[in-house]
């Protein structure tokens, strides 16, 4: 049986907060930078989403359906597509119509509700399931959590919500001597299959492609394929990356589009691998073993933990104060409050408070509107203070 290549692309456009000052608390409840949100998504659509979607469509047609890919698109991003650039949604619907693209389910607001509140997590998963059907016309079969965060306990929740396949990080500290290029199962629920991201081969494209100091530079399709060949005796190579890799993190001038097209055609012509979606892989292969994941694992930083979002006291305080409002929100039960609550859960708000952002060279790929983590924290907590007042007013 030929090993499979699973191409998974993550898409999330943050909902940026405007500069919200202390004296506005209790007076102005519009929190979002509409201009930044509109201009950023339209730029990314022009640089990445539209040209890359067209390239994928052309390749699917030219390979007669042999190319298959998967997308994880957050709910907030779907809303921004609909509001600011509906032509992007049209291009995803066209990809869906080929039958060669799988759309994955995730928490609607790209949040960490899975480690904070079970009821909120369930709500967001079901909301996202419905949104993919509404916006794209697709039914979801597989699941990937925000930034691939996973534990055995989260796996149980995912299985309870009806999923049989979940994607997460092939982190060394959970695998030990094992390879990420095999299908595994949840230790508490053997029916839930785990497809692990190959961090080395994924990052060779997503992070290192344009790095002139990297010993693999320049990365050609021939060179990359020779690395893939080392996995010929395995089951699956899961290449999971941010979709903005194509055209934004690595601009068109870097050759990233030409590289991808050449690589796909090389894989097809050599016929040693097949492309497959996560749900197809779960049907095709039996799990070789179970994996025990007690502490959260993610696809970020060398430690593959949640330190990028919950590694300092500022982040923890913001996170805890937000989710402490859940019970009051359930009593008030107003749609506008629930919407703001969801948007305030986006992982980006916590990421902006990450101390290492300003020293980690890899983070040049991301937009952070703040000069320091403390500025990000103060702005977010001002917004949260106003939001809490609104919640309390509905209860009085």
């Amino acid at each position: 049986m030929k090993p499979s290549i699973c191409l998974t692309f993550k898409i999330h456009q943050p909902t940026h907060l405007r500069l919200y000052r202390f004296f506005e608390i209790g007076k102005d409840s519009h929190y979002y930078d509409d201009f930044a949100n509109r201009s950023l998504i339209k730029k990314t659509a022009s640089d990445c989403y539209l040209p890359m979607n067209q390239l994928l469509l052309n390749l699917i047609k030219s390979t007669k359906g042999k190319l298959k890919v998967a997308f994880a698109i957050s709910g907030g991003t779907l809303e921004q597509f609909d509001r600011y650039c509906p032509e992007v949604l049209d291009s995803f619907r066209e990809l869906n119509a080929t039958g060669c693209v799988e759309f994955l389910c995730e928490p609607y607001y790209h949040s960490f509700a899975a480690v904070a509140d079970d009821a909120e997590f369930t709500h967001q998963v079901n909301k996202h399931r419905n949104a993919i059907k509404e916006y794209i016309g697709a039914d979801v079969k597989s699941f990937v959590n925000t930034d691939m965060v996973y534990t055995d306990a989260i796996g149980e929740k995912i299985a309870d919500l009806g999923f049989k396949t979940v994607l997460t990080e092939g982190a060394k500290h959970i695998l030990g001597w094992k390879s990420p290029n095999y299908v595994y199962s949840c230790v508490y629920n053997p029916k839930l299959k785990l497809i692990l991201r190959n961090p080395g081969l994924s990052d060779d494209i997503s992070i290192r492609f344009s790095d002139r100091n990297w010993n693999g530079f320049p990365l050609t399709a021939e060179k990359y394929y020779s690395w893939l060949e080392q996995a010929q005796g395995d089951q699956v190579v899961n290449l999971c990356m941010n979709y903005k890799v194509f055209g934004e993190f690595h601009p068109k001038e870097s050759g990233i589009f030409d590289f991808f097209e050449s690589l796909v055609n090389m894989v097809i012509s050599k016929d040693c691998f097949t492309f497959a979606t996560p749900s197809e892989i779960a049907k095709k292969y039996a799990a070789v073993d179970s994996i025990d994941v007690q502490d959260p694992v993610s696809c970020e930083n060398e430690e593959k933990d949640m330190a990028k979002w919950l590694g300092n006291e500022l982040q923890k305080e913001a996170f805890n104060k937000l989710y402490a409002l859940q019970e009051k929100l359930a009593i008030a039960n107003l749609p506008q409050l629930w919407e703001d609550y969801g948007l305030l859960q986006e992982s980006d708000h916590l990421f902006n408070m990450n101390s290492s952002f300003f020293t980690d060279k890899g983070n040049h790929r991301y937009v952070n509107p703040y000069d320091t983590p403390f500025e990000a924290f103060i702005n977010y907590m001002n917004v949260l203070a106003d939001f809490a007042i609104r919640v309390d007013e509905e209860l009085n």
Side-chain angles (χ1 to χ4, degrees):
M1 186 182 297
K2 299 175 186 176
S4 298
I5 296 175
C6 180
L7 287 171
T8 306
F9 303 120
K10 300 179 294 177
I11 301 178
H12 172 61
Q13 286 284 148
T15 304
H16 292 276
L17 300 177
R18 69 178 179 87
L19 180 60
Y20 191 89
R21 302 183 186 279
F22 177 80
F23 63 78
E24 296 181 84
I25 297 173
K27 299 178 182 178
D28 189 341
S29 298
H30 182 71
Y31 308 137
Y32 313 109
D33 189 336
D34 298 327
F35 175 78
N37 291 327
R38 180 177 64 253
S39 59
L40 287 170
I41 197 169
K42 289 180 78 69
K43 182 181 185 303
T44 306
S46 176
D47 292 343
C48 169
Y49 302 142
L50 290 173
M52 191 60 185
N53 280 7
Q54 186 62 53
L55 176 58
L56 287 176
L57 184 64
N58 293 343
L59 285 170
I60 288 171
K61 291 179 178 179
S62 66
T63 63
K64 298 181 180 179
K66 291 181 179 180
L67 173 63
K68 298 185 178 183
V69 301
F71 285 100
I73 312 175
S74 69
T77 302
L78 291 169
E79 290 184 12
Q80 290 194 56
F81 284 154
D82 188 47
R83 186 180 305 124
Y84 300 127
C85 39
E87 65 274 18
V88 175
L89 279 180
D90 291 338
S91 68
F92 278 114
R93 294 188 189 107
E94 194 171 4
L95 282 172
N96 181 55
T98 66
C100 297
V101 179
E102 180 175 357
F103 290 86
L104 311 182
C105 193
E106 65 169 86
Y108 188 90
Y109 293 105
H110 203 69
S111 73
F112 295 124
V115 298
D117 189 281
D118 287 353
E120 179 64 15
F121 178 65
T122 298
H123 164 70
Q124 288 194 32
V125 171
N126 289 329
K127 183 179 176 70
H128 190 265
R129 192 198 309 259
N130 294 334
I132 292 294
K133 185 68 174 178
E134 176 187 351
Y135 286 108
I136 307 295
D139 294 314
V140 294
K141 300 176 183 178
S142 306
F143 188 87
V144 60
N145 201 12
T146 303
D147 291 293
M148 307 192 99
V149 168
Y150 178 83
T151 63
D152 296 328
I154 293 173
E156 284 194 291
K157 298 174 192 176
I158 294 168
D160 288 343
L161 288 166
F163 297 98
K164 298 179 180 179
T165 312
V166 62
L167 280 68
T168 188
E169 180 73 357
K172 291 181 180 178
H173 70 274
I174 64 169
L175 283 171
W177 58 267
K178 299 172 185 175
S179 167
N181 297 340
Y182 290 88
V183 175
Y184 296 92
S185 64
C186 173
V187 69
Y188 293 155
N189 191 326
K191 292 183 179 180
L192 180 68
K193 291 185 175 179
L194 309 182
I195 301 175
L196 306 183
R197 175 180 180 266
N198 185 304
L201 288 172
S202 297
D203 291 346
D204 285 339
I205 299 175
S206 63
I207 295 177
R208 293 181 277 273
F209 183 83
S210 296
D211 184 0
R212 293 180 175 273
N213 296 318
W214 175 42
N215 59 13
F217 184 88
L219 184 58
T220 63
E222 292 79 8
K223 184 185 297 183
Y224 192 83
Y225 186 82
S226 71
W227 299 342
L228 284 174
E229 285 183 312
Q230 299 173 26
Q232 280 194 25
D234 302 338
Q235 289 180 333
V236 57
V237 180
N238 182 13
L239 303 176
C240 182
M241 61 197 76
N242 194 315
Y243 203 38
K244 294 179 186 178
V245 161
F246 302 95
E248 185 163 304
F249 296 169
H250 305 299
K252 180 181 179 181
E253 294 74 22
S254 70
I256 189 70
F257 291 99
D258 293 335
F259 163 81
F260 182 83
E261 182 175 8
S262 296
L263 179 62
V264 168
N265 287 326
M266 186 170 294
V267 170
I268 299 296
S269 64
K270 289 185 178 294
D271 200 28
C272 295
F273 295 88
T274 60
F275 288 105
T277 63
S279 61
E280 290 175 337
I281 288 167
K283 290 181 180 179
K284 185 176 180 180
Y285 302 105
V288 297
D289 200 357
S290 62
I291 296 181
D292 188 1
V293 187
Q294 295 297 318
D295 298 316
V297 63
S298 81
C299 62
E300 281 288 340
N301 64 47
E302 290 185 9
E303 291 75 21
K304 304 299 181 183
D305 56 16
M306 295 190 68
K308 286 287 178 79
W309 308 278
L310 294 172
N312 64 41
E313 294 305 314
L314 301 179
Q315 294 167 312
K316 292 174 184 175
E317 182 176 353
F319 183 80
N320 292 333
K321 285 198 172 184
L322 175 65
Y323 282 102
L325 295 170
Q326 173 82 14
E327 186 174 344
K328 290 182 178 180
L329 278 162
I331 297 172
N333 200 28
L334 287 179
Q336 185 56 56
L337 289 177
W338 280 120
E339 181 180 353
D340 287 333
Y341 180 59
L343 293 172
L344 290 175
Q345 291 179 61
E346 288 188 352
S347 65
D348 312 85
H349 304 309
L350 296 171
F351 186 84
N352 289 338
M353 304 173 202
N354 171 25
S355 304
S356 68
F357 180 95
F358 302 91
T359 57
D360 184 353
K361 294 181 180 179
N363 285 323
H364 73 277
R365 305 188 309 275
Y366 301 95
V367 176
N368 191 332
Y370 305 99
D371 292 328
T372 69
F374 189 68
E375 286 185 21
F377 173 75
I378 291 298
N379 201 64
Y380 183 83
M381 294 305 284
N382 285 345
V383 169
L384 192 54
D386 182 83
F387 180 70
I389 289 172
R390 292 167 57 204
V391 174
D392 287 338
E393 285 176 348
E394 292 299 327
L395 299 180
N396 294 329

